[in-house]
Every structure is written in C-alpha cells, then in structure tokens.
Amino acid sequence: MKTSPLAPHIPQIRLYQNWLAEHRGLTFDGYDALWRWSTTDLDAFWQSIWDYFDMRSPTPHTAVLERNVMPGAHWFPGAQVNYAQQVFRHVQPAHAAGFPAVISRNEKGHAVELSWPGLRRQVAALALHLQAQGVQPGDRVAAYLPNIPETMVAFLAVVSIGAVWSVCAPDMGTHAVLDRFKQIEPVVLIACDGVTYGGKDFDRLAVVAELRAALPTVRHVILHTNLAQEPAAVDRALEAAQPCTAFSTATARTDAAVQAFEPLWLPFDHPLWIVYSSGTTGLPKPIVHGHGGTVIVAMALKVLHNDVGCSYAPNSWGERYHWYSSTGWVMWNAQLSGLLNGTTCVLYDGNPGGSKENPDWTTLWRFAAEQGVTFFGAGAAFFANCLKAGVDLSHCGDLSHVRALGTTGSPLSEDAQRWGTAQFAAIAAHDAQRDIWWCNISGGTDFAGAFIGGNRELPQTPGRMQCRLMGCAVEAWNEQGQPVMDAVGELVCTQPIPSMPLYFVGDVDNQRLLGSYFDMYPAGHGRKPGGGDMDQDAGAVWRHGDWLRIHPDGSCVIYGRSDATINRHGLRMGTSELYSAVEALPEVLDSLVVDLEYLGRESYMPLFVVLRPGLALDGAMTAKINGAIRTALSPRLLPNAVFQVAEIPRTLSGKKQELPIKKLLLGQPLEKVINKEAMANPGCLDWYVAFAAAHQARTAAS
C-alpha cells in the first residue's frame, strides 16, 4: 500500500502546543518562549511529554526529576517501562489499518516486508529462545549485524527480557569490534555470515570465529545467514559457524507461549543498550542508556521536532520513515525509534552511491520512490554527493510522497540544501514539496538524541538548523565559560536530559564519564535550577565537543568538532583507534590524523606518518596503510591522503598536538593555536605551516 501525500499533516509540534493549551492552560507567544519554559521548568515539561504520549507504567512515578544533578540525575523514580512494550502497543491498530512495521531492501534487490504481528511474533520467539539459554535481565548481548529487519527483531527480543543490547556494523574489522565488545563481556553473540556493499560480497564467518574465540563470556551464538540464500549455502554457513543456532530457527516458534509473551516491566533507568563514542585516547567509551530516558526523549525528538507521525493516525496517515544508516551509527537507533510511535520504518542495506565501478547516487532516491517514503533522511555527505554527481530527481521515479528531508552527521552546506530545495520545487506534486522542509539535526551517540534540530513552523535558512530542541538547555560558551549569542563557542547543555548516560561500563567512580563531558567547567558553574531538588553537588554542565553559533533568531550552525575526534561519514571514531591500526605496521613509527569537517565543507582527513629511516611513502606503502585501516576499523575511516613527515608535533609531556594542527589547517594563525614553549619539537612546525598555507590556497580555489 502506497501512502497518500494528501494527509492533513498539521505539524506535530503544533498539535502538542494545542494540547498544552487545552490540558495545561499554557500558551506561548513564540517558539523561544516555549523552549525557555521547557528548559526552566523541567518537571512540568517532561511530565507533559509523558502525558501527551500516554506513556504507561504499572506503578506510578513519585517525581519527574528527583534530583537535578549532572551526572546522576534520577528521572521518574517508581515508574516501570520497556522499549518493547511501547513498540507492541501499535501492533493491533497499525496492522488493522493495513500498514507494515518494517520494509527493507538490499543492493541485490532482496526485499522484506514485516507486518506488525510478524514483528511481535518473531520478537517473542527469539526472546523465549534467549531465556532458554539462561539470559537474565542485565546480561549483555552483542550483535554483529547490518541494517536489516532481523537486527530490529534481535534488539527488541533482547531488551524485552531486560538484557542489554550492543551492536557493531559488519563493515567494522575484528580489532575495532573487539575493542568494543571485550569491554562489555557479552553472554550471547548474534552475528551474520556476511554483507554486500558496493556490489561486492564480504564474508564475515572468519570474523565471527575470531570474535567467539576472543570473547570467553559468550556461551551461545545465533547466526543469521545474510549472504547465503540457497539451502546448500545456508547449511555450509551454519556448519562453518558451529556450534550455533540459526536465526531463522530461533525466530520460528509459533506456540501458545509466543502468543502469551509480554515484555518485562523494568525500572525507568534499567539499562537498554550500550553504544560507543570515542575520544582521542583510550578504548571506545561504552555508554549505557536507560529504557525510560531513551523512549521519552525519542518520542519528543522523533515526533515533535522531526515531525514523524504515526502511520495509522489520520493526520499522518501512511507515514513511511527512512533514514539511511549503518548499525555502526546512532542513526540506526534513530531509525528504529520510528516503531515507538507506530511508524512504518523503511530500511536500505548497502552503498547509497552504487559501486566504485558504477557510481549511482540515485539509488536511495529510486528506492524511496518505489516504497512511497514520506520522510527521507541521510547524512549530510549524501546530499553533497548528490549535488556533485548532478542527480536529477525528475529521473528517479515517483517521489510525490516525500514531504520532508532529514540530515545529520556533519554540517549541511548551503549549496547542498539549496540543491535539494530546487530539485523538489521542480518536481513538486503538492505544497509540501514547493518549499521542502529540511529537518537538519545535531546531537549524538553520547545521549541518543539531538540538541539542535527542526521545527516545521519556523522559517528555514539554508545551511542552518532551525532551533534548540525543547528540553535541551543548550548554550554557546566562550573561553571564559560565559554564554554568547551570534558568536562561535563551545556547545554546552546546562540542564540534565532523561537520555543522558547512566554510566560507562567499567568506569570506576565515573572518572571517564566526568572526563568526557563535565571536566572543562567547574562544578556548579552555569547550572540553573529548573526541576527536582538541586543542591551544592549539582555538578558541572555538559560539554559536548562541538563548536556552535546561535543566531539572534534562534537558528544554529554547528562548525564541526571542538576536539580532535574523527566524524567520518556519520561514524565517530577516536583518533587513538586509528593510530593503533597504523602504528602496528613495522614501517610506521608515528602518525597524526585530523578531520577537517567544518561548516558544511566536504570532510577532508589527512593522515601524517613518520616512517622508519630509509623508507619512502610510495603507492605500495600508502596502500598498506589504507589496508590496515580498512581491516582493523572500517573503509569509512580511510584518509583522503597520506603524507610523509619528519616528525609529529608533540607537547613536552608527549601528547600529539591534534587540535592545534587541526586549527592551523582550518586557517587560524600559528601563534593563536599553539604554544611553542610547551612543545617538545617546535622546529617541526614550519612544515605544517607551509602545508596549511597550501591547503588553504587549494580550498579557496575550489
């Protein structure tokens, strides 16, 4: 069933404000007033979200925000929730209206449509299978799966019984996956035999064997035969992975126990999943989010700000929500969250740009046309590539159902946004396409949400995000820790949000958590009362690691990372992970990488290497370095270019000078970004200054 572009589709945020007026007697003279209320009366705002979305609990909560402290805010004490319970609420009404839960296709054209009852049945069957293997609430289950319906089923099954989910994408190599999964000690591994990407099959059975061997806590393996399709090939894959259970077998059960299965009611802050965000040192941070906080923030973000409606609601009848992602990116979690509101999720697994031999940036557009997608989201780099490739949407099929475009992952350039707006104006089938709405968002893995995003009722300015989101007390701070307007500063959040991390796995005394977000500004500085009990131990503000500019009209621009973390094609990775891969090569003595993603420019990531004496960086050496990165981490993290240097600039204490070199390459003067007296080898800077000048000249000419 294709959707109708003629549903009334009153903006979801307007429906919410109408509800506030009717049920709370609250009216606001503009969005800024609504935002200020939501960030200064946290109890009233988050209670309104609970009530508006009719969130349910078998036991009442005794407060909204019991204690206003960061980290450690205690939300909705006494309430019980489960992510899967919220999803299952929609099984009957969505199915009765004739809408599927998930629609999926891969590069080979393999298509799957999963009904809401089918989703529930498979989830129940797999949940019972996991319980039969002894999986208990709080146990960790690791998944090595692509962006397919089976991954959604596996997630819902795991969390429905109170176990904790964690997934890595199959394009990640063994080293990168083990850096993540070893920290969490999973008891079950759910994996696939391989993936197809860019027209090529990639067998992953050897990686699965390596993961199993290196994870001694894993006592059960479930294998989804994603590559193998013919019965004989399926048998060979399962035999190679023995001992294991076939995913199809684990989800095949249809008995009375499956029919009677209900997800467990869990405390509001029961761990839901572990996601990974990397800094510049050490292993990836295993971040734990809770069921309740993730659900309530996802509802506010996805529905009110992203304007993604329920597929069976008359106002958004036939909504089909697509956001291209891999499972290695938090946008997979965002795509999944469409199910929380009864929305049909539309998945594509594969390369959105075709193959290297036959690039085709119309792939996703044609897929969206075939499936009647209404909300089309992708990384900002995708739209930039469509612009460069000269994509003409009039040749991509019937896109008349698309009413909104979503972007994130990096700043969207004005040119790319203007391109998309002009393309839809040229094929406009209704008013929503004559000036297509762009939902440009910025947030992150760290709190499974967004700080900055969209509002369908506000004006659009190409290259900007429309507003700070409700409930997100975001400010831009200067070097003195003072809020600034219409100037670039550090993105901070001065109030807690329900989906902020509960903790990091294995983090003694919260030291990594504090160091990741709360160590830049002194405790109490900039914190404002706004809900719950706040005392002298309220803690510091959240520093996110982005440069932000808030314009007087409330619109925002993210200017890239304020730290040295890599943000490549939507995948955030710590530089330390890349160094461990490159410097494991005997030829490489030292290395430094910077990601020059900045204000809508295409990301440019150079890698500088110091080689052993007598070696020169030739094509073979460059290929070897790239191969090490591709194998250990991901092809997404390959540098744009590799340069041989004499030295890597370091501080007197031996730390690599990543951020100063990044700022230098972005055009800031040397004297403002680095203190030579604090350097161990200041003489090496002349080379980088010359390189920066040449890079700036090339950038200006392009």
Side-chain angles (χ1 to χ4, degrees), residues 448-620:
F451 284 133
I452 316 292
N455 179 333
R456 249 189 73 204
E457 295 193 319
L458 293 179
Q460 298 192 90
T461 302
R464 296 187 193 176
M465 287 164 278
Q466 290 174 294
C467 62
R468 292 171 282 183
L469 300 196
M470 289 184 293
C472 300
V474 168
E475 296 177 350
W477 280 14
N478 62 19
E479 292 180 357
Q480 289 73 45
Q482 300 166 329
V484 294
M485 185 66 68
D486 210 16
V488 178
E490 283 275 0
L491 190 163
V492 302
C493 186
T494 65
Q495 295 280 27
I497 297 171
S499 62
M500 283 178 174
L502 301 175
Y503 54 88
F504 293 175
V505 175
D507 185 14
V508 179
D509 297 327
N510 271 350
Q511 289 306 300
R512 290 193 77 192
L513 178 65
L514 291 166
S516 297
Y517 311 113
F518 300 106
D519 66 349
M520 174 165 277
Y521 304 102
H525 178 82
R527 293 281 278 114
K528 302 176 182 66
D533 292 329
M534 185 172 176
D535 55 32
Q536 293 179 343
D537 299 320
V541 304
W542 174 289
R543 171 188 171 262
H544 195 56
D546 280 338
W547 294 121
L548 167 69
R549 180 175 191 161
I550 304 169
H551 289 268
D553 65 356
S555 64
C556 299
V557 178
I558 295 287
Y559 286 78
R561 297 293 299 171
S562 62
D563 59 18
T565 304
I566 299 167
N567 185 2
R568 195 77 165 154
H569 306 302
L571 182 64
R572 275 185 63 185
M573 187 76 70
T575 52
S576 60
E577 294 189 78
L578 191 141
Y579 297 145
S580 66
V582 171
E583 293 171 20
L585 298 173
E587 298 90 343
V588 179
L589 297 178
D590 204 357
S591 61
L592 183 141
V593 67
V594 291
D595 181 5
L596 302 186
E597 171 221 358
Y598 183 81
L599 192 54
R601 299 175 191 164
E602 182 179 3
S603 172
Y604 178 74
M605 191 171 83
L607 171 65
F608 306 101
V609 295
V610 178
L611 301 180
R612 290 193 177 278
L615 295 181
L617 184 69
D618 55 14

